Amino acid sequence: MASHRKSRPPGTRVAGIRTPALATAALTSVALLSQSAQAAPVDDKPSLEEVEQKVDDLYRQAESATDTYNAAKEKTGKQRKRVDTLLEDVAQRTQKLNEAREELGSFASAQYRTGASAPDTATFLLADSPQDYFDQTQLMSRLTTREKGAVDDYVTEQSATMKKRREATESLQELTQSQGDLKTAKSTVQKKLADARTLLSRLTAEEKARLAAIEEKKQQEAERKAAELAQQQAAAEQKAREAAAQQQDSGSSTGSTSSGSTSTGSTSLSDATYATKAEKALAFARAQIGKPYVWGATGPGSYDCSGLTQAAWKAAGVSLPRTTYDQVNAGTTVSLSAAQPGDLVFFYDDISHVGMYIGNGMMIHAPKPGAYVREESIYYDGESAIYSVVRPA
């Protein structure tokens, strides 16, 4: 009997697909893959704001590394001077030691020729460490007062020379370590700056124009905040003048001078002295406007931030440390509202930047690589960036 089953039409079976469910899953996967292939690729390029933030962060990190470099350089310089001094001292002491040894040798030779001493005495006098023989009374009793003095001088000089040699060796090791730190800090600065330049070089002309517009907007906001601070300080000064005048009138009417008036006069004299020094420091700083920022530079052709403030106050006869995190402790901290021209304004939690306050919410500073010494609002990076204000003199 012939079979009644219909034969499968040729070409309708798909190899490997045995159930309708699997076929459906496969078709769905193909559709999804097709949609993914047609979709636009994800753009992982950072936004302009992100680029700006990254560049600013790199500049800040470079400035912080610059302070590390400055500190290592200053330490290396001091250690090199100390090593040179110690080596010179060792050379002089070695000469004295040789002279003392020659004198002892002449004594020993003379005694040996005349038979005034036993061979052991000559050995004692010519030994590298005569201290080892000090307890041998029978030898010491044979020496004259002059000879004993020569032995004492030799032993003392030998001990001092060995001590200085140890100090010189330790200082040389410290110097080597400082030179390594200096090299590391320099490499860190250079890498941060190179990364920042790379990011900026990838911007198109349109993006650079937009970035400039963003910077302009930030600058306008910073100037607005500076103007507000200037108004607040002017109002506070006016109020202080009125209070002083009222106190003076009150004192004149009573015909007496209070201890408070004496204190006020002393404070005024102190303020006047500071103002005189600050004026000299600011005059120097203004003369540097337009000179380039160069990390590690202290003038006269270029400066970094702390190099500028150090040089400016040096012109006023005030010595400041080299780095920002040392300068922040070189004076009296005052409130921002009480800031006076000449005060130092420090920025960021790591105290990696400093500028010199000139009044009205403005300062002179060496901003960052690629920029020049200039006047700018102390709010140039926002109010939260301000760390403290210090009066150095």
Side-chain angles (χ1 to χ4, degrees):
M1 178 181 292
S3 173
H4 295 288
R5 180 181 297 173
K6 293 183 179 179
S7 61
R8 183 184 299 273
T12 59
R13 180 174 180 179
V14 179
I17 302 297
R18 298 183 181 277
T19 66
L22 289 174
T24 302
L27 292 172
T28 302
S29 299
V30 170
L32 289 174
L33 288 172
S34 176
Q35 291 175 4
S36 298
Q38 295 174 0
V42 177
D43 186 6
D44 59 353
K45 183 179 179 180
S47 68
L48 193 60
E49 289 74 13
E50 289 173 336
V51 171
E52 180 195 29
Q53 184 61 51
K54 181 63 176 176
V55 169
D56 286 346
D57 288 345
L58 285 169
Y59 278 143
R60 279 186 53 196
Q61 292 166 18
E63 199 160 29
S64 181
T66 296
D67 263 337
T68 302
Y69 169 85
N70 291 339
K73 184 177 181 180
E74 186 176 41
K75 184 178 181 181
T76 298
K78 290 179 179 178
Q79 287 176 332
R80 183 175 286 111
K81 289 180 180 178
R82 174 169 169 74
V83 167
D84 290 343
T85 300
L86 285 171
L87 290 176
E88 183 178 354
D89 191 13
V90 167
Q92 292 176 352
R93 289 181 180 278
T94 300
Q95 178 63 29
K96 292 180 180 179
L97 189 64
N98 292 335
E99 292 173 356
R101 185 185 293 246
E102 289 176 2
E103 186 176 10
L104 289 178
S106 65
F107 289 154
S109 298
Q111 288 186 355
Y112 186 75
R113 286 194 302 270
T114 60
S117 66
D120 283 345
T121 306
T123 301
F124 164 67
L125 292 174
L126 294 173
D128 289 334
S129 301
Q131 180 68 42
D132 295 341
Y133 293 87
F134 253 16
D135 294 333
Q136 299 184 30
T137 309
Q138 69 277 14
L139 294 177
M140 293 301 295
S141 63
R142 299 172 186 169
L143 302 179
T144 65
T145 302
R146 181 185 175 190
E147 291 168 346
K148 287 180 180 179
V151 171
D152 291 341
D153 290 344
Y154 177 85
V155 173
T156 300
E157 202 62 52
Q158 184 186 50
S159 176
T161 301
M162 293 302 296
K163 180 180 179 181
K164 289 298 180 181
R165 282 175 178 168
R166 286 193 297 270
E167 289 180 12
T169 300
E170 292 172 359
S171 293
L172 279 170
Q173 292 173 346
E174 292 176 2
L175 177 59
T176 301
Q177 178 63 44
S178 295
Q179 288 173 331
D181 295 341
L182 186 64
K183 184 177 180 181
T184 299
K186 183 176 182 178
S187 297
T188 301
V189 174
Q190 291 174 331
K191 185 179 186 306
K192 298 297 182 184
L193 296 180
D195 290 345
R197 285 192 291 267
T198 299
L199 281 174
L200 290 174
S201 69
R202 292 173 181 169
L203 297 178
T204 65
E206 180 184 355
E207 288 173 331
K208 289 179 180 177
R210 287 172 52 201
L211 184 60
I214 293 174
E215 290 290 339
E216 178 65 22
K217 186 176 180 180
K218 287 175 59 177
Q219 185 177 357
Q220 290 174 353
E221 175 61 19
E223 290 174 354
R224 185 188 67 79
K225 292 285 293 181
E228 287 182 0
L229 178 61
Q231 291 177 353
Q232 294 171 4
Q233 290 180 328
E237 289 174 3
Q238 179 62 30
K239 186 175 181 180
R241 283 194 295 269
E242 292 174 354
Q246 184 176 1
Q247 184 177 10
Q248 186 176 6
D249 292 343
S250 176
S252 299
S253 62
T254 58
S256 61
T257 302
S258 65
S259 60
S261 299
T262 303
S263 176
T264 301
S266 176
T267 302
S268 299
L269 181 60
S270 176
D271 290 344
T273 302
Y274 177 75
T276 300
K277 293 181 179 179
E279 186 177 354
K280 292 180 181 179
L282 287 172
F284 179 93
R286 286 193 176 94
Q288 313 314 309
I289 290 177
K291 293 183 179 180
Y293 175 104
V294 174
W295 65 273
T298 57
S302 58
Y303 297 89
D304 63 16
C305 65
S306 57
L308 176 64
T309 52
Q310 183 188 47
W313 271 105
K314 183 179 180 180
V318 177
S319 178
L320 291 181
R322 176 64 183 92
T323 64
T324 53
Y325 46 77
D326 284 330
Q327 289 184 8
V328 75
N329 297 316
T332 304
T333 301
V334 298
S335 65
L336 181 59
S337 60
Q340 295 180 13
D343 291 351
L344 302 179
V345 186
F346 294 89
F347 297 87
Y348 312 116
D349 291 338
D350 60 355
I351 320 175
S352 57
H353 188 67
V354 62
M356 182 176 292
Y357 192 65
I358 61 176
N360 297 326
M362 303 292 287
M363 67 177 173
I364 296 175
H365 69 148
K368 59 185 179 182
Y372 298 84
V373 176
R374 66 193 183 203
E375 290 187 11
E376 192 167 24
S377 168
I378 62 173
Y379 298 102
Y380 78 107
D381 202 19
E383 186 171 3
S384 61
I386 298 174
Y387 179 82
S388 67
V389 180
V390 171
R391 190 157 298 154

